[in-house]
Amino acid sequence: MAAALATPERILVVDDHPLVRDGLRSLLAITFEDCEILEAAGVEEACQVLAAQGECDLVLLDLNMPDATRLSGLTTLRQAFPMVPVLMVSGSFDRALVQEALSAGAAGFLPKSLKRAAIVDALHQVMSGEIYIPDTGLEEAPGTAEEVQIRARIDSLTPQQKVVLHHLVHGRLNKQIAHDLDVSLTTVKAHVSAILQKLGVFSRTQAVILANRIHFD
């Protein structure tokens, strides 16, 4: 079964060109209704924004930043905020660069040259927990140390919490889960809170992304 499309609550766009940020903001606003779009003009500012906000479902990070070299911006964000998915954005790329970005923990690599519809599809793919790879003949990178950690966190869930996580992955709302499991809404909320805490994430969307990274179902 295809992964349920997750709806982000907050996305951070990191690019030093205001016109590019404006374009991405407009596209994101249309693609994800009611999603809050944050902006940063550099990696240092992005870290400040993430530290202040506490929660962010996705970061769109331009490859060429004034305060970063090649993938150093990605490395900085991954080290400081390991649970926040980072989608690299660039006007140019090659097979080696894409592979390097994926190995460094990127949630995908988004070429600016893609048509609008293709960018929307890529965003939905990433928000569904998949790794977006442009057409370079690359396949998804094999299991990483981070994925091993994700499996360990999910293994720490109780059987009931794993059932609730399964429902979250398939896009079920709390009230729907309560009905399906014949439990109270309060019980479901308690399970969801416990799941977020054990997975080390701040939102349902982030939990779904982690679960789909290891194809949990």
Side-chain angles (χ1 to χ4, degrees):
M1 181 179 295
L5 292 179
T7 301
E9 297 179 0
R10 184 179 291 124
I11 293 178
L12 172 61
V13 177
V14 186
D15 196 297
D16 60 320
H17 295 96
L19 288 178
V20 174
R21 295 201 304 272
D22 288 345
L24 287 173
R25 169 184 284 277
S26 298
L27 180 60
L28 290 167
I30 294 173
T31 305
F32 301 113
E33 189 176 354
D34 298 326
C35 178
E36 181 181 3
I37 313 300
L38 306 176
E39 296 182 15
V43 175
E44 182 178 354
E45 184 181 354
C47 289
Q48 294 172 352
V49 172
L50 289 172
Q53 293 295 332
E55 299 181 21
C56 198
D57 297 308
L58 180 66
V59 173
L60 298 183
L61 174 63
D62 186 62
L63 177 66
N64 299 309
M65 302 295 294
D67 58 350
T69 303
R70 197 172 172 83
L71 295 173
S72 65
L74 170 64
T75 301
T76 297
L77 290 178
R78 297 295 296 138
Q79 291 177 344
F81 307 95
M83 291 297 104
V84 179
V86 180
L87 177 61
M88 298 303 299
V89 181
S90 178
S92 61
F93 66 95
D94 55 36
R95 181 187 179 93
L97 178 59
V98 173
Q99 185 65 70
E100 186 179 348
L102 296 179
S103 298
F109 202 102
L110 184 66
K112 292 181 179 178
S113 58
L114 288 181
K115 294 183 178 180
R116 189 183 188 95
I119 293 177
V120 170
D121 288 342
L123 290 169
H124 279 304
Q125 186 171 324
V126 171
M127 290 312 305
S128 296
E130 302 296 329
I131 303 296
Y132 179 75
I133 302 173
D135 186 16
T136 63
L138 281 171
E139 295 182 354
E140 185 172 340
T144 62
E146 182 181 13
E147 290 171 355
V148 172
Q149 293 178 355
I150 294 172
R151 293 181 189 278
R153 291 191 185 109
I154 289 181
D155 286 343
S156 73
L157 300 178
T158 66
Q160 193 70 359
Q161 288 165 359
K162 289 180 180 178
V163 171
V164 172
L165 179 58
H166 166 83
H167 283 278
L168 294 180
V169 168
H170 288 276
R172 305 290 285 173
L173 301 175
N174 284 354
K175 62 181 180 181
Q176 294 173 319
I177 298 174
H179 177 269
D180 292 344
L181 301 182
D182 194 24
V183 297
S184 69
L185 186 58
T186 300
T187 297
V188 173
K189 290 180 178 179
H191 282 316
V192 171
S193 295
I195 290 169
L196 299 186
Q197 182 178 11
K198 289 184 177 181
L199 295 187
V201 297
F202 300 104
S203 71
R204 296 161 60 102
T205 299
Q206 291 174 328
V208 169
I209 288 174
L210 284 189
N212 282 325
R213 283 286 298 273
I214 64 165
H215 307 291
F216 172 84
D217 196 357

